[in-house]
Amino acid sequence: MNGARGQLRVYLGAAPGVGKTYAMLDEGHRRLSRGTDVVVGLVETYDRPLTTALLAGLEIVPRRSALYRGTVFTELDTDAVIARRPRVALIDELAHTNVPGSRNAKRWQDIEEILDAGIDVISTVNIQHLESLNDVVHEITGVPQRETVPDEVVRQADAVQLVDMAPDALRRRMAHGNIYLPERVDAALSNYFRVGNLTALRELALLWVADKVDDQLDRYRAEHGIAGIWEARERVVVALTGGPEGDTLVRRAARIADRTKGADLLAVHVTRSDGLSRTDPANLVRQRALVESMGGTYHQVVGDSVPRALIDFAGGVNATQLVLGASRHGRFAQIFSRGVGMTTTALSGPIDVHMITHDEASRGVRGDRPRAVLTRRRRIAGWAMALLGIPAITLLLVSAREEMKLSSGILLFLLMVVGVALVGGMWPAVTAAVAGFLLLNYYFTPPVDRFTIADPENLLALSVYVLVAVMVSAVVDLAARRTREAARASADAEVLSTLAGHVLRGEAALVSLLARLRETFGLTSVTLLERTGEPAPDDRSEPEAWRIVATAGGPPCTTPGAADTDVVIDRDLVLAARGRLLDAADRRVVEAFAAEAAVALRQERLRHEADLAGPLAEADKMRTALLAAVSHDLRTPLASARIAVDSLLSTEIEWCEEDRRELLATADESLVKLDRLVANLLDMSRLQAGVLGLALQPIAVGEILPRSVADLGPLRDRVEGDIPADLPEVLADPALVERILVNVMSNAVRYSPSGEKVLVTASSYGGDVEVRVIDRGPGIPRDAHDRVFMPFQRLGDRDNHTGVGLGLALSRGLAEAMGGKLAPEETPGGGLTMILTLPVATREHA
């Protein structure tokens, strides 16, 4: 065997029972038949006959044994597999967690060692064990998955094969007993293996494998330098400019994507590399939210050429279709420029380009009118220089006209024009240039003192002077304008960066967001208004038509009409600001804040709805668990009692006295269990409703314990008490304390090894008394300590005949109702200790 790393093949399934292990073993037999050295490192058959039968003929590497908390477990013997050095090792359950104390915490880490040794591994995993989908599966099924494997481990596998089965077929397998034991089938079919759950898990598995195949395809294209588009999967890219037509384009692109099942929708916005874009950030924010609400993704790229940037992006994501809006330029402008749409179509190659018409088409690109880029003082100074400086230079030159050449005059006038442009901008400079042309013509161009030019060379010189002066003025003015736009873009970027940080830090509360907006723009107040009814033509100033959702600052606006600046977010939401009238550039940034405020409002309302739905969901979950549990646990004692009573009433058999007593005892024991079950259910309902009656009084633990032990019935002999005589009294309800101790002690006895007694001790600590119920059973993992107190939980599902799983949940609730607590702790040397803490009774309570 060479030193190359082994290859990993993973069989992925949507749920237990789809046939992953069967497929793995079948592949092992196939390779064995070809002469490949194959061994079974570890396979879990779960006593499934068909799976067990496939182990025949395969060499099995013995497992290693591990002792944990008094119980012997078997695990994969990694060293033995490596020492055996087969060509292929079959190892089940990739996400399995090893027994504490093992060299590796997870089985996938054991498999990594085997792969590093040059051995190929075939393994299995279910979709619910992938780390990235763990919470999604929990939401779907309601069952937390504590054994997970990083997605990257499975993604890096050399082959991932989906083992698929329709939900109905899987449920039939379950009903036939091919997956679980018969006593667990009903519960599984009505819970985890519901058709809806299986369908959702199947879709997750299919999509995950599709993404894995997509990654493999991208990697193959990159490794082989394939730049062309492979239409293996429909991807629709929609180009957004930030204009108002973007909403139309997104919806049209979404409809195009919906025509093909599983198509991806991607939106892209191209920004200029100099950052001086005139796009409306509020439109982009709204359109991004629209894309994401339709299941798409939003992207932003930088490029000097918009068509080239679009084609590069579309080719990079292997897009098949590109959606563009029809040009907003007028027909006259289109004569001189092909436009983004036509240029992109020419460059598109195999990508289909859709040109979508919209209401904004051919209306022209409406932007803000160019504002004065210089202050009023500088503009006045520029005009003063033009009107006074040019005549002053003329007077100076006229006095030396005999010695001055025309070329020198042109240079001096040009210098003055540049100075005027630097101070006052383009139009004062153009005026100075024209005035200089006329004055140079009149005073310095032969024949002088006349507006005529005799020499054609002088005409050329003066014309070039005017042209250069105008060009220099335009360049200076453009530089000043670009400087101002860059400064404005930098300021807007800083404000939007602050907004983004505000959101990323989780400060999306409406009031906080509005306060940040008010501080940024120095406003008196900022208010988010919501329409209370249907829109009306004249309701902008009607207080009855609006209600205040949130406000920050001084007196709020009660209507949009009362605001200095109002931003319409949608049909029902308006952001109203007081303090000053915002200019167009500021308004664009405010619109971005407004869009984020609308998102924050929706998030708050969704959280509120989730908070309201949470208790209902918990109640529904409780009812479902209750029905599933009592369907068996109520039936068992009722059936036992009924059989005993029917036997006693039967006239066909004559029972002796001993048999009669035994039947009566059976009926009595069953009715006692039934009474205890009903009492627990009623008390749990009272606890949840907050109407449990308490009779708190000072009591001695030493007096309560014997009564609690006596209530255990046949189990009483397996409990041993050690209560100090000087233990202080506790403030509690005697009946409830007795109930708690009975539940905890019966649970401890149930899981203690045969012959081991449960020890009950007590001690005082500070102002509390701690009663400890100590067993030497297998214990429970630390991460499951809180789970044992959930209603209807039987940790590990070891025994479905011992009650509905209310005991510990009820006990903790009763303890907390009395001001105490019930908590688990590991028993030194193995086992579990339940600690009941109750407050010490003071003299005031006597």
Side-chain angles (χ1 to χ4, degrees):
M1 185 173 297
N2 57 35
R5 177 180 166 88
Q7 293 189 341
L8 174 63
R9 182 187 187 93
V10 176
Y11 285 96
L12 176 69
V18 296
K20 302 178 302 299
T21 304
Y22 188 94
M24 179 182 69
L25 293 173
D26 187 59
E27 175 67 13
H29 277 286
R30 189 182 68 83
R31 297 197 184 195
L32 184 65
S33 66
R34 296 187 315 189
T36 305
D37 186 10
V38 179
V39 301
V40 174
L42 186 145
V43 166
E44 298 288 358
T45 64
Y46 297 104
D47 296 327
R48 296 168 187 166
L50 298 177
T51 305
T52 304
L54 275 181
L55 284 174
L58 292 173
E59 178 184 346
I60 301 176
V61 176
R63 304 185 186 189
R64 65 177 178 86
S65 298
L67 181 65
Y68 179 66
R69 292 183 175 177
T71 303
V72 177
F73 297 89
T74 60
E75 294 285 3
L76 170 68
D77 194 335
T78 306
D79 294 333
V81 173
I82 295 175
R84 168 63 177 76
R85 301 191 69 80
R87 177 66 265 177
V88 177
L90 310 180
I91 303 174
D92 212 359
E93 298 187 354
L94 183 65
H96 172 76
T97 301
N98 292 330
V99 172
S102 301
R103 183 168 66 214
N104 296 315
K106 294 286 190 176
R107 183 166 293 163
W108 65 264
Q109 295 169 319
D110 295 334
I111 291 176
E112 287 292 318
E113 291 187 11
I114 296 173
L115 292 171
D116 289 338
I119 302 171
D120 294 345
V121 175
I122 303 176
S123 189
T124 64
V125 71
N126 278 328
I127 194 67
Q128 68 263 29
H129 295 301
L130 295 180
E131 185 66 49
S132 66
L133 299 176
N134 186 257
D135 56 340
V136 179
V137 174
H138 187 191
E139 287 294 324
I140 293 172
T141 64
V143 179
Q145 302 292 335
R146 289 170 175 79
E147 290 190 328
T148 60
V149 59
D151 287 48
E152 195 60 25
V153 173
V154 186
R155 287 193 183 277
Q156 293 300 323
D158 299 276
V160 177
Q161 183 169 334
L162 179 66
V163 181
D164 188 32
M165 180 174 288
D168 290 336
L170 183 57
R171 285 170 58 86
R172 282 196 297 271
R173 289 196 65 194
M174 174 75 70
H176 294 159
N178 293 331
I179 301 176
Y180 288 158
L181 295 176
E183 57 266 24
R184 297 183 60 189
V185 169
D186 289 340
L189 289 175
S190 59
N191 290 282
Y192 192 90
F193 284 81
R194 292 196 298 266
V195 172
N197 289 357
L198 296 177
T199 303
L201 293 174
R202 188 187 188 197
E203 183 176 13
L204 284 177
L206 290 168
L207 290 174
W208 195 93
V209 172
D211 287 339
K212 163 75 175 176
V213 173
D214 214 33
D215 292 341
Q216 291 175 333
L217 178 60
D218 290 343
R219 187 162 56 248
Y220 178 85
R221 293 175 68 232
E223 290 173 354
H224 291 77
I226 300 172
I229 303 299
W230 284 10
E231 299 185 14
R233 183 174 181 175
E234 286 289 342
R235 283 187 176 84
V236 181
V237 173
V238 54
L240 300 178
T241 64
E245 75 281 358
D247 295 31
T248 302
L249 301 183
V250 170
R251 292 188 176 93
R252 183 59 182 273
R255 290 196 296 272
I256 293 174
D258 287 342
R259 293 171 187 167
T260 304
K261 186 66 175 177
D264 293 334
L265 174 64
L266 302 91
V268 60
H269 171 67
V270 180
T271 59
R272 284 169 37 183
S273 57
D274 58 10
L276 302 179
S277 174
R278 290 186 180 179
T279 57
D280 191 334
N283 283 344
L284 286 176
V285 169
R286 186 183 68 254
Q287 289 159 13
R288 176 174 186 167
L290 179 61
V291 169
E292 293 173 348
S293 70
M294 293 181 173
T297 56
Y298 177 85
H299 307 267
Q300 193 158 330
V301 297
V302 178
D304 292 322
S305 170
V306 173
R308 174 54 61 188
L310 287 175
I311 293 300
D312 290 344
F313 175 82
V317 298
N318 204 24
T320 56
Q321 303 188 63
L322 181 59
V323 177
L324 302 174
S327 177
R328 285 187 286 157
H329 292 285
R331 293 182 179 179
F332 182 76
Q334 294 179 28
I335 296 175
F336 300 96
S337 173
R338 300 177 67 188
V340 172
M342 295 298 296
T343 307
T344 304
T345 303
L347 297 173
S348 62
I351 303 175
D352 297 336
V353 178
H354 302 264
M355 296 290 293
I356 307 300
T357 59
H358 49 83
D359 293 339
E360 304 295 322
S362 300
R363 291 187 179 181
V365 181
R366 297 197 303 271
D368 300 330
R369 292 180 63 86
R371 296 171 41 188
V373 297
L374 300 174
T375 63
R376 186 169 182 269
R377 177 178 294 182
R378 287 186 60 179
R379 295 198 305 274
I380 292 175
W383 283 108
M385 286 181 65
L387 298 177
L388 300 177
I390 294 296
I393 291 179
T394 303
L395 291 175
L396 179 64
L397 294 178
V398 166
S399 62
R401 181 163 54 180
E402 297 299 329
E403 294 82 13
M404 181 69 62
K405 293 182 178 181
L406 178 61
S407 58
S408 299
I410 288 175
L411 290 176
L412 289 174
F413 272 92
L414 184 60
L415 179 62
M416 175 56 72
V417 170
V418 172
V420 171
L422 288 173
V423 174
M426 180 176 177
W427 294 113
V430 171
T431 302
V434 173
F437 171 84
L438 295 174
L439 292 172
L440 284 169
N441 179 14
Y442 189 83
Y443 288 105
F444 303 101
T445 305
V448 295
D449 300 330
R450 293 173 61 185
F451 288 106
T452 58
I453 302 175
D455 190 347
E457 289 187 4
N458 291 338
L459 178 61
L460 177 62
L462 290 177
S463 300
V464 170
Y465 154 73
V466 172
L467 181 61
V468 171
V470 172
M471 291 173 60
V472 169
S473 301
V475 169
V476 171
D477 183 75
L478 180 62
R481 189 179 302 278
R482 289 299 188 216
T483 301
R484 183 180 179 89
E485 288 179 356
R488 182 74 204 191
S490 176
D492 290 349
E494 185 176 352
V495 171
L496 293 174
S497 174
T498 302
L499 173 62
H502 179 273
V503 175
L504 290 174
R505 288 191 299 271
E507 304 172 8
L510 265 179
V511 176
S512 173
L513 192 65
L514 298 182
R516 185 64 59 89
L517 174 59
R518 187 184 68 83
E519 294 169 2
T520 301
F521 292 97
L523 301 170
T524 304
S525 69
V526 180
T527 307
L528 183 64
L529 299 172
E530 185 175 33
R531 198 187 305 272
T532 57
E534 290 297 318
D538 55 350
D539 64 353
R540 284 180 51 81
S541 299
E542 293 293 333
E544 295 81 9
W546 301 90
R547 72 178 188 89
I548 297 175
V549 177
T551 185
C557 294
T558 56
T559 64
D564 294 318
T565 299
D566 65 287
V567 176
V568 178
I569 302 173
D570 57 28
R571 192 188 73 124
D572 296 325
L573 289 176
V574 174
L575 188 70
R578 272 182 175 169
R580 66 185 178 91
L581 186 63
L582 298 177
D583 58 31
D586 287 339
R587 185 182 178 89
R588 283 200 300 267
V589 180
V590 171
E591 287 173 348
F593 271 90
E596 183 58 37
V599 173
L601 175 63
R602 295 186 185 99
Q603 288 176 341
E604 283 191 4
R605 289 179 172 173
L606 287 173
R607 281 195 295 269
H608 179 66
E609 291 176 3
D611 291 340
L612 294 178
L616 296 176
E618 286 298 322
D620 184 65
K621 187 176 179 181
M622 180 78 72
R623 282 194 296 270
T624 302
L626 172 61
L627 291 173
V630 301
S631 64
H632 173 273
D633 294 288
L634 279 174
R635 189 164 57 241
T636 301
L638 280 174
S640 300
R642 180 175 178 178
I643 290 172
V645 172
D646 287 346
S647 299
L648 289 171
L649 292 175
S650 174
T651 57
E652 297 178 0
I653 303 176
E654 188 171 338
W655 304 98
C656 65
E657 189 62 28
E658 183 179 353
D659 291 338
R660 289 176 62 83
R661 281 197 301 270
E662 184 176 348
L663 289 171
L664 287 171
T666 299
D668 179 67
E669 182 181 355
S670 299
L671 293 175
V672 168
K673 287 182 180 179
L674 183 60
D675 179 69
R676 185 175 299 164
L677 171 62
V678 173
N680 283 344
L681 291 171
L682 290 175
D683 283 344
M684 179 59 72
S685 299
R686 294 189 186 105
L687 272 175
Q688 291 181 334
V691 295
L692 182 69
L694 298 176
L696 301 180
Q697 62 187 61
I699 58 172
V701 175
E703 296 177 1
I704 297 293
L705 182 60
R707 297 203 300 267
S708 302
V709 173
D711 286 345
L712 294 176
L715 302 178
R716 67 172 71 91
D717 296 332
R718 298 188 57 188
V719 178
E720 183 178 288
D722 184 12
I723 307 298
D726 58 350
L727 190 70
E729 293 183 330
V730 297
L731 182 67
D733 186 316
L736 298 186
V737 173
E738 184 176 338
R739 291 276 299 284
I740 294 172
L741 291 176
V742 169
N743 284 332
V744 173
M745 289 188 299
S746 61
N747 196 65
V749 170
R750 187 178 304 122
Y751 292 107
S752 291
S754 179
E756 287 280 351
K757 287 195 172 185
V758 172
L759 178 62
V760 182
T761 66
S763 61
S764 61
Y765 181 79
D768 296 321
V769 168
E770 294 183 345
V771 181
R772 296 174 176 265
V773 180
I774 306 168
D775 68 58
R776 296 292 179 181
I780 58 176
R782 183 178 296 276
D783 60 0
H785 279 185
D786 287 333
R787 187 157 59 94
V788 297
F789 293 105
M790 295 174 62
F792 314 111
Q793 289 290 318
R794 304 184 193 92
L795 191 61
D797 292 326
R798 305 178 186 195
D799 183 2
N800 286 335
H801 305 277
T802 54
V804 294
L806 271 177
L808 291 179
L810 178 61
S811 298
R812 170 175 272 190
L814 295 176
E816 291 174 350
M818 294 186 293
K821 56 185 179 181
L822 183 65
E825 185 180 273
E826 293 182 3
T827 302
L832 185 70
T833 298
M834 298 296 296
I835 305 172
L836 172 62
T837 304
L838 295 171
V840 172
T842 61
R843 292 183 179 180
E844 290 80 5
H845 300 129

